[in-house]
């Protein structure tokens, strides 16, 4: 059974034929909306000479993601601690620099040493949130100067590669100030907002 399927943005519309499969499924080839741009469309169907359906079903056309428009941000792009998990976020953007609202982009991220070829490069884990955002997990294998490259289809995103300094996690534990009195009577040492507290 052949049906008519209409894609409309309210002012412009394109028609195509569809094939009835079941009470809940119609198969059709989407028409080209390239001349109208990336828009959200209302889809309606009609059987033969019958009127089009009134129920709203939405379909979105989108521009492809462009690597040079994509951005990345987060603590892992500033500094890393050796052996500890850190993260940053990629925001996918299309050819018009508009933030993407869907996923499936194949970003490839790698952490590589700048001047220590003996250190093995580390692949980063990319998590697709299916909304245009991607979380990247990074674990540095050694201390020193590294770079993080982020590519899409072999093209670097904006700012890539990023230079990062990997420090030892032990460097974060530093004591300063006047020690408390009666050290031999201290029973508990804990941290509050990064400060050592004695009890």
């Amino acid at each position: 059974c052949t049906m008519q399927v209409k894609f409309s943005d309210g002012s412009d519309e394109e028609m195509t034929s569809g094939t009835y499969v079941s009470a809940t499924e119609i198969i059709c080839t989407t028409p080209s909306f390239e001349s109208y741009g990336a828009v959200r469309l209302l889809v309606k169907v009609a059987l033969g000479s019958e009127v089009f359906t009134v129920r709203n079903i939405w379909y979105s056309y989108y521009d492809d993601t462009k690597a040079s428009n994509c951005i990345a941000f987060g603590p892992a792009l500033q500094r890393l601690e050796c052996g500890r998990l850190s993260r940053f976020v990629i925001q996918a953007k299309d050819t018009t620099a508009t933030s993407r609202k869907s996923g499936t982009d194949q970003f490839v991220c790698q952490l590589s040493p700048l001047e220590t070829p003996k250190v093995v490069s580390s692949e980063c884990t990319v998590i697709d949130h299916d909304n245009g955002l991607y979380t990247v997990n990074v674990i540095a294998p050694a201390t020193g100067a590294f770079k993080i490259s982020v590519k899409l289809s072999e093209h670097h995103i904006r700012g890539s590669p990023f230079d990062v300094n990997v420090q030892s996690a032990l460097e974060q534990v530093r004591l300063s100030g006047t020690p408390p009195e009666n050290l031999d009577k201290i029973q508990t040492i804990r941290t509050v907002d990064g400060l050592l507290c004695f009890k």
Side-chain angles (χ1 to χ4, degrees):
C1 180
T2 302
M3 309 186 71
Q4 292 296 313
V5 184
K6 178 170 65 176
F7 293 75
S8 172
D9 65 357
S11 58
D12 299 300
E13 62 183 40
E14 293 288 343
M15 303 284 291
T16 187
S17 59
T19 301
Y20 177 88
V21 177
S22 68
T24 59
E25 184 178 3
I26 296 172
I27 296 177
C28 73
T29 300
T30 55
S32 173
F33 237 78
E34 186 175 359
S35 60
Y36 307 111
V39 291
R40 188 167 181 250
L41 303 174
L42 183 62
V43 181
K44 297 187 176 184
V45 298
L47 176 61
S49 60
E50 297 293 328
V51 297
F52 283 94
T53 55
V54 295
R55 182 176 180 181
N56 291 341
I57 299 176
W58 296 96
Y59 181 85
S60 295
Y61 280 92
Y62 59 85
D63 285 329
D64 290 335
T65 302
K66 187 175 182 180
S68 60
N69 287 338
C70 298
I71 61 174
F73 53 90
L77 298 180
Q78 302 297 324
R79 60 179 303 279
L80 295 171
E81 293 178 12
C82 179
R84 287 189 175 179
L85 175 65
S86 189
R87 298 180 174 90
F88 66 92
V89 175
I90 301 171
Q91 171 64 72
K93 291 180 177 288
D94 63 22
T95 56
T96 64
T98 301
S99 295
R100 289 287 309 275
K101 302 300 182 183
S102 59
T104 72
D105 290 309
Q106 300 298 312
F107 288 100
V108 177
C109 305
Q110 187 173 44
L111 176 69
S112 305
L114 288 178
E115 300 177 353
T116 314
K118 292 183 180 180
V119 177
V120 179
S121 298
S122 176
E123 292 289 341
C124 307
T125 303
V126 181
I127 302 173
D128 184 355
H129 298 289
D130 199 31
N131 60 359
L133 294 175
Y134 300 77
T135 298
V136 183
N137 294 331
V138 185
I139 299 180
T143 59
F146 280 75
K147 64 179 179 180
I148 296 177
S149 63
V150 184
K151 293 183 178 181
L152 177 66
S153 300
E154 299 300 322
H155 298 285
H156 284 282
I157 70 167
R158 187 192 308 176
S160 176
F162 303 90
D163 292 337
V164 295
N165 183 37
V166 180
Q167 299 179 353
S168 170
L170 298 179
E171 294 181 6
Q172 299 305 304
V173 181
R174 297 181 182 275
L175 300 180
S176 62
T178 304
E181 298 179 358
N182 303 322
L183 288 175
D184 58 325
K185 296 182 179 180
I186 293 176
Q187 298 178 351
T188 304
I189 300 178
R190 62 191 180 93
T191 59
V192 177
D193 295 331
L195 301 177
L196 287 177
C197 297
F198 302 89
K199 182 178 179 182

